[in-house]
Amino acid sequence: MSSVAEKLATLGAVALACTGCMGEASSDPAVWLSKCTPRKVSARGGTVLTVEGGNFTPATAIEVGAETAKVKVVSSRTLEVTVPALMAGKAEVVAISGGGDVTDLFGGVEVMPMELSFVEAAPYAVPLEAGVVVSSAAARDFDSDGDVDVLACGGAGPCRLLRNDGRANFAAPLELDAGAGADAGLADAGRLTGDELAVPSPGPVFGRVLGSADLDGDGDFDLLAALADGGTVAHANDGEGRFVAHAFAFAGSVVDAGASADAGSGDAGLPLQIVRPALPLTALALTDMNGDGAVDLVSAGATPARGPFRIDVNRSDRDAPAFSALPLVLEAKPWAVKALAVGDLDRDGKRDVVLATSGGTDGISLRVYFARPEGFIELPGGLPGLGPYAAVAVGDVDGDGADDVVATGPGQDRLLLNDGTGHFFDASALALPIDGSNGTSLVLADLDRDRDLDLLIGNTAATMRLYVNDSTGKFFDRTPALPRRIESVTWAFAANFDRDADLDVLVLTSEAAAVRLYLSVEP
């Protein structure tokens, strides 16, 4: 009995101690939530919730969808909460008292996909020289200040780096003093076989930009540019948007029959020994082909009777981009490649290659090369659909975890759904709006923040098309959300140019100095 009495006394002491603690915390007691209105909010952010409950103080914090929200205390029982930008779907609403107590609102809120609307930025937002047709561009944070800049190339002069001020206003391009030595060195770069150019300081970028990625692993975005003579130059970024050109043999054909052709091996690929004259490149993808974490190069040229594509393995370090050709046993083909894309089409962990081709006597316009231990194997018969196609993209549009294929060209756009094993079903008639325009470019991106891929298609002498995905791979025409312009689009890119959480669209056209910026805004 005495032991029971001792235990009761101990419990009583604990209870009194807890009561004392609660009394000490009574200045900021645990909050509780009862309801909020509205229960549906926009993924764009900015919706103001009226949250009701109790024990609210200036120290009360609210998280919506694990993101910290802006809170205004109306009273101890009411808060006004501004919802941050979120992804569509269910989102928890959690209250945290100043003392660290946490409670959540039953049911949370439902985040709705953004209603899309785009407005065209004023011409002075993207200043360019009059009369220059911009043939190519790259949009990345080149100067490492947190916003997306634009490098525009056109004409015979150097490319222009337009620096973003964070609000989608771009600084007027500055004239760069190339110097005769730098110009001559760049012209020779494509014909060298791997030696670094003797460029003592950052210089201008010449040529047509093919792509941008962190090639040398130093955390900033570098460039690949094609020269007029068919050569290719890698431009290393110093982190502030200044570039140093480095030559490497990229577009030629390798003479080396004895090396391994295992596309999945991190050790595959030998430094180039013999290089034939460089070929003009028409298509390129920057992606990790061998699983070592570095960005490799997949490229193809317009000249028939050569290998269908080429892979250059990244051997770069922080001193310079450097690549070595992966020896591939690929039969020469009598057709030209217009575009290419890369993805894991059969879910075996290796990257496969999709080619949009023209000029083949077999009538195949979309071809797939599957990566196998013995090399790349072409899918017999190619993919469904007649071409030709000017652009192709790979991505999971129906949410089943398998990469699908989208292509555009003259006539109806094409959607090919993948069953996950590399077998494709032509869903164009069922899942894409009918359109007979001459497609030139396409973008797959989540424009409305609902976790699926939407589609932008640029055309020749027609309006750009906007198709919104319903999360099952069926697309609905939302073209009226774009500015209406009859023009010929040559390239498009989606990025957050104004730091507001949604994606904007940069468009190149065939008109002089016609670089257009479409900003995503609240309807």
Side-chain angles (χ1 to χ4, degrees):
M1 294 295 293
S2 61
S3 62
V4 173
E6 291 174 359
K7 290 180 180 179
L8 289 175
T10 301
L11 290 174
V14 171
L16 289 172
C18 290
T19 302
C21 292
M22 291 295 290
E24 293 172 5
S26 61
S27 61
D28 196 357
V31 298
W32 53 273
L33 302 176
S34 59
K35 69 175 182 178
C36 76
T37 53
R39 283 282 186 160
K40 292 184 178 181
V41 301
S42 171
R44 190 185 296 274
T47 304
V48 177
L49 297 176
T50 299
V51 177
E52 297 181 25
N55 294 332
F56 298 143
T57 72
T60 301
I62 297 290
E63 291 184 352
V64 183
E67 299 288 339
T68 301
K70 181 180 178 181
V71 177
K72 176 183 177 182
V73 180
V74 177
S75 69
S76 63
R77 298 182 63 87
T78 305
L79 301 175
E80 289 184 356
V81 177
T82 303
V83 177
L86 300 169
M87 301 301 292
K90 284 289 186 181
E92 291 184 337
V93 177
V94 175
I96 306 169
S97 72
D101 297 298
V102 178
T103 187
D104 64 305
L105 177 70
F106 178 77
V109 294
E110 185 176 358
V111 183
M112 306 301 294
M114 287 170 27
E115 289 292 330
L116 291 177
S117 179
F118 293 86
V119 298
E120 184 176 351
Y124 55 76
V126 189
L128 288 167
E129 296 177 357
V132 174
V133 176
V134 178
S135 59
S136 65
R140 300 284 191 181
D141 181 10
F142 289 115
D143 54 8
S144 306
D145 64 351
D147 49 49
V148 181
D149 310 301
V150 175
L151 186 91
C153 303
C159 301
R160 298 291 188 257
L161 178 60
L162 308 179
R163 299 179 188 270
N164 191 348
D165 69 354
R167 296 172 295 175
N169 296 308
F170 295 85
L174 299 176
E175 288 296 332
L176 298 175
D177 184 11
D183 194 354
L186 286 169
D188 292 336
R191 292 187 286 272
L192 300 180
T193 59
D195 296 329
E196 180 178 332
L197 281 177
V199 179
S201 61
V205 176
F206 283 86
R208 176 173 60 91
V209 168
L210 291 168
S212 176
D214 182 7
L215 302 178
D216 52 12
D218 63 354
D220 53 42
F221 290 102
D222 310 302
L223 293 168
L224 289 175
L227 301 175
D229 66 354
T232 306
V233 174
H235 294 266
N237 189 351
D238 70 352
E240 297 182 2
R242 296 187 298 263
F243 298 94
V244 175
H246 297 271
F248 66 100
F250 172 61
S253 299
V254 182
V255 181
D256 191 339
S260 169
D262 183 359
S265 172
D267 296 326
L270 300 173
L272 295 179
Q273 301 297 325
I274 303 174
V275 182
R276 295 177 184 148
L279 300 177
L281 296 182
T282 57
L284 179 144
L286 297 170
T287 185
D288 182 7
M289 293 296 290
N290 57 5
D292 65 354
V295 176
D296 306 309
L297 315 176
V298 185
S299 64
T303 305
R306 300 294 182 104
F309 62 92
R310 166 187 172 123
I311 296 176
D312 286 77
V313 178
N314 194 336
R315 308 296 187 196
S316 305
D317 55 31
R318 290 177 179 266
D319 293 328
F323 300 86
S324 59
L326 181 68
L328 300 176
V329 182
L330 292 174
E331 181 183 353
K333 297 292 184 179
W335 34 255
V337 176
K338 305 293 290 184
L340 68 82
V342 175
D344 184 4
L345 301 180
D346 52 3
R347 292 198 284 194
D348 65 350
K350 294 185 177 182
R351 310 284 280 170
D352 310 305
V353 179
V354 181
L355 304 178
T357 64
S358 62
T361 58
D362 54 9
I364 299 174
S365 296
L366 285 176
R367 306 173 191 269
V368 174
Y369 282 79
F370 290 107
R372 298 285 185 261
E374 65 272 19
F376 283 87
I377 306 299
E378 184 177 3
L379 175 68
L383 295 180
L386 298 176
Y389 297 104
V392 62
V394 169
D396 179 13
V397 303
D398 55 1
D400 64 353
D403 282 337
D404 309 299
V405 175
V406 183
T408 189
Q412 177 61 37
D413 306 309
R414 193 69 55 185
L415 172 60
L416 306 174
L417 295 180
N418 187 357
D419 69 355
T421 66
H423 294 92
F424 291 84
F425 166 71
D426 189 349
S428 307
L430 298 176
L432 281 180
I434 297 174
D435 181 45
S437 302
N438 186 358
T440 59
S441 59
L442 58 83
V443 175
L444 271 177
D446 183 4
L447 299 173
D448 55 2
R449 297 180 65 86
D450 65 349
R451 306 174 194 271
D452 58 41
L453 296 174
D454 308 302
L455 183 58
L456 279 165
I457 300 178
N459 297 301
T460 297
T463 58
M464 175 175 274
R465 312 294 294 179
L466 169 60
Y467 300 147
V468 173
N469 193 344
D470 72 348
S471 297
T472 69
K474 186 174 183 180
F475 292 84
F476 293 87
D477 194 346
R478 296 292 184 267
T479 300
L482 291 171
R484 181 171 175 79
R485 278 188 174 274
I486 306 297
E487 58 191 356
S488 295
V489 174
T490 58
W491 179 83
F493 187 82
N496 182 8
F497 289 99
D498 52 6
R499 291 190 180 184
D500 63 353
D502 51 44
L503 295 180
D504 312 300
V505 182
L506 185 72
V507 177
L508 303 188
T509 76
S510 59
E511 302 174 23
V515 176
R516 308 197 191 282
L517 179 59
Y518 297 152
L519 299 174
S520 179
V521 298
E522 188 78 30

